[in-house]
Amino acid sequence: MSNAFSFISSLDALSLIELFWFAVLFEVPRYGLGALVIILAGTGARRQTCARRDVSLSILLAGHNEAASLRRCIEALGEQTLAQGRNPDWQIVVVDDGSTDNMSDIARTLQKEGRVDEVLKLSQRGGKSAAINLAFSVCTGDIIVISDIDTTLDRDAFEKLIPYFDDPRVGAVGGTLEVRNAEASLVTRHQAIEYALSIGLGRRLSDLFGTLSIVSGAFGAFRRSAVEAVGGQDVEVGEDADLTMKLRRAGWRVKFAPEARALTNVPETIIDLIAQRLRWDRGLITIWSRKFRGELNPSSSSFRLSNVVALTDILFFQIVLTLVFPAYLVWLWLNLGTMALPVFAATLIGYALMDGLLFMGAAFAGIGGAGRLIAYLPFYSLMQVTVMRAVRLFSIIQELVFRSSYRDPYVPGRVMDQVERI
């Protein structure tokens, strides 16, 4: 190791750039943009919002086998809406997506108690898109908040979300997701840091440039007329990203409400996390690379520069960089032999330092709310550079070669069989 340190310390600035070209060309600019967002968040005025009680709002909860979580979710919503002076037009709709537990029975009981306005049940599981589209048929609100049943919202979440729709050009608004079960394991602590940086910070950056490309299906608000105009949700493994891009393609603006917060549960084991990310990362190909690649065509009637930037951001930073990084490692080995290992270790240390500075800055600026996890940053950096990049690489190759998303159990096979393959 001392030889490696001596080797690296002996290099001049140009030689260091040549050795660490991947980080210098691709990663340092990305971290620099993150620092810019922190500066703006720390010095800018907070958005002053007040929930308009004249807004017609529907809260849509769709789930499969969520009997254990449904009552807690509804009671939390009841406390929230009362705290914000619930308007009688604020409607709560629950959809049971073909559950095999007693979720629908609990939903009916909650309806009798006056806590739920509409209860719908699919006789067979149709997937989240089918459940959401069914719910839209009974939603009366002009604004529809879609949330997962295992997600709980801050008491002022609606107050922070709704005012964005004062702009008639806004079709969707995403909120900040943070991890509820962060203390459960090392894996959940990793995700708590990841959510703080990728959602709390990353989506602020996208919003700053008007290129936000996803409103999470776990917590987001949508203008009902906008969703209906684009035909509702399509059957996709990443249905939330798909709907967001459909709205962007139709000319609607998509915004991020950083102070509208919600807590959600994340996978607690590495196996469950990998399974989740294999599904999520397939969307990089199915949605952005296949379905919406036409948005890059200047002759398209829906062509917009902001959409080009949004797509380029996804394609470059999440697909191209994932494919280039292994090539960089091979280049290191071919040029340095066994010395490539300590150079790679130095790269990991560099990532940890950049992640640490970014995370501490985000915590100081009030972004992410996970400052207590700073001691786990080295583990986070190691996971991101090794495990998560390997999972993404595998998922991209798997989808490109085998179109695995069409056999993903997230969407029932009989439903996916009816989808036209692009």
Side-chain angles (χ1 to χ4, degrees):
M1 184 61 69
S2 60
N3 291 336
F5 177 77
S6 299
F7 167 69
I8 294 174
S9 61
S10 68
L11 299 176
D12 58 25
L14 182 59
S15 298
L16 285 171
I17 292 173
E18 292 176 348
L19 184 61
F20 296 101
W21 59 265
F22 182 88
V24 171
L25 288 177
F26 304 128
E27 302 289 17
V28 172
R30 183 166 61 91
Y31 280 93
L33 288 172
L36 172 64
V37 173
I38 290 172
I39 293 171
L40 293 175
T43 60
R46 288 174 175 253
R47 182 184 178 96
Q48 299 297 317
T49 57
C50 180
R52 290 166 41 205
R53 297 186 181 185
D54 62 332
V55 170
S56 177
L57 183 74
S58 292
I59 305 162
L60 197 166
L61 304 166
H64 175 75
N65 288 344
E66 295 281 4
S69 305
L70 182 58
R71 176 170 286 277
R72 182 173 65 249
C73 174
I74 295 298
E75 289 176 349
L77 278 175
E79 293 175 2
Q80 184 197 50
T81 52
L82 285 174
Q84 297 182 53
R86 176 177 173 176
N87 185 297
D89 287 335
W90 287 17
Q91 172 196 39
I92 297 179
V93 178
V94 175
V95 183
D96 181 341
D97 183 20
S99 296
T100 56
D101 63 6
N102 63 334
M103 176 181 166
S104 60
D105 294 334
I106 293 174
R108 296 293 183 191
T109 299
L110 290 166
Q111 186 179 32
K112 291 177 182 178
E113 295 173 4
R115 298 174 183 268
V116 172
D117 298 291
E118 296 282 350
V119 176
L120 303 171
K121 179 178 173 62
L122 291 167
S123 58
Q124 300 181 67
R125 189 168 75 90
K128 189 169 183 180
S129 297
I132 294 295
N133 288 335
L134 176 63
F136 263 80
S137 67
V138 301
C139 284
T140 58
D142 295 326
I143 307 301
I144 298 178
V145 176
I146 300 177
S147 178
D148 283 348
I149 292 173
D150 66 352
T151 298
T152 52
L153 314 182
D154 275 8
R155 293 173 69 86
D156 62 351
F158 295 151
E159 179 182 343
K160 304 300 184 183
L161 278 176
I162 293 173
Y164 285 85
F165 290 99
D166 289 346
D167 183 346
R169 298 168 296 180
V170 171
V173 180
T176 297
L177 279 174
E178 297 175 3
V179 175
R180 179 193 295 112
N181 57 334
E183 304 298 329
S185 67
L186 267 177
V187 172
T188 57
R189 289 179 175 92
H190 161 264
Q191 291 169 89
I193 296 172
E194 182 187 33
Y195 273 48
L197 294 178
S198 67
I199 296 179
L201 187 59
R203 293 188 184 174
R204 285 178 188 245
L205 178 61
S206 297
D207 185 65
L208 177 67
F209 290 104
T211 59
L212 185 64
S213 58
I214 181 169
V215 171
S216 174
F219 175 41
F222 300 83
R223 192 181 299 275
R224 179 160 60 97
S225 59
V227 176
E228 290 175 344
V230 299
Q233 288 196 342
D234 294 345
V235 176
E236 293 285 354
V237 172
E239 75 287 331
D240 48 3
D242 178 70
L243 177 58
T244 305
M245 286 304 299
K246 286 174 64 178
L247 291 170
R248 291 188 63 91
R249 183 171 60 186
W252 292 96
R253 290 187 175 180
V254 179
K255 301 296 293 180
F256 180 61
E259 295 178 13
R261 293 185 170 91
L263 294 174
T264 190
N265 289 329
V266 297
E268 297 185 2
T269 68
I270 189 65
I271 298 300
D272 290 339
L273 175 61
I274 289 174
Q276 180 197 66
R277 297 311 169 86
L278 285 173
R279 184 178 75 244
W280 286 6
D281 289 342
R282 289 179 191 128
L284 296 172
I285 303 301
T286 60
I287 295 173
W288 284 286
S289 298
R290 290 180 183 151
K291 190 168 186 177
F292 292 100
R293 63 178 181 266
E295 300 308 300
L296 299 173
N297 183 358
S299 64
S300 171
S301 60
S302 60
F303 178 82
R304 291 177 180 82
L305 184 59
S306 61
N307 289 348
V308 172
V309 176
L311 279 164
T312 302
D313 173 62
I314 296 294
L315 295 175
F316 182 76
F317 284 106
Q318 298 196 41
I319 297 179
V320 174
L321 263 60
T322 299
L323 298 174
V324 171
F325 188 66
Y328 171 67
L329 297 181
V330 171
W331 177 86
L332 277 180
W333 182 263
L334 291 177
N335 284 273
L336 300 179
T338 56
M339 193 65 71
L341 295 177
V343 169
F344 179 63
T347 302
L348 291 177
I349 294 172
Y351 276 112
L353 290 174
M354 289 190 292
D355 286 331
L357 291 172
L358 205 59
F359 188 72
M360 287 188 292
F364 180 77
I367 299 173
R372 67 193 183 281
L373 297 172
I374 193 168
Y376 298 95
L377 275 166
F379 175 73
Y380 164 79
S381 299
L382 180 64
M383 280 281 290
Q384 288 294 100
V385 176
T386 57
V387 177
M388 304 314 294
R389 279 193 173 171
V391 169
R392 176 165 291 173
L393 177 64
F394 180 81
S395 182
I396 290 173
I397 294 173
Q398 188 183 44
E399 183 61 29
L400 285 171
V401 177
F402 301 107
R403 291 181 175 251
S404 300
S405 61
Y406 293 98
R407 296 183 299 278
D408 195 302
Y410 180 77
V411 178
R414 60 183 175 75
V415 177
M416 188 59 80
D417 287 343
Q418 300 176 32
V419 178
E420 179 182 357
R421 301 192 179 191
I422 299 176

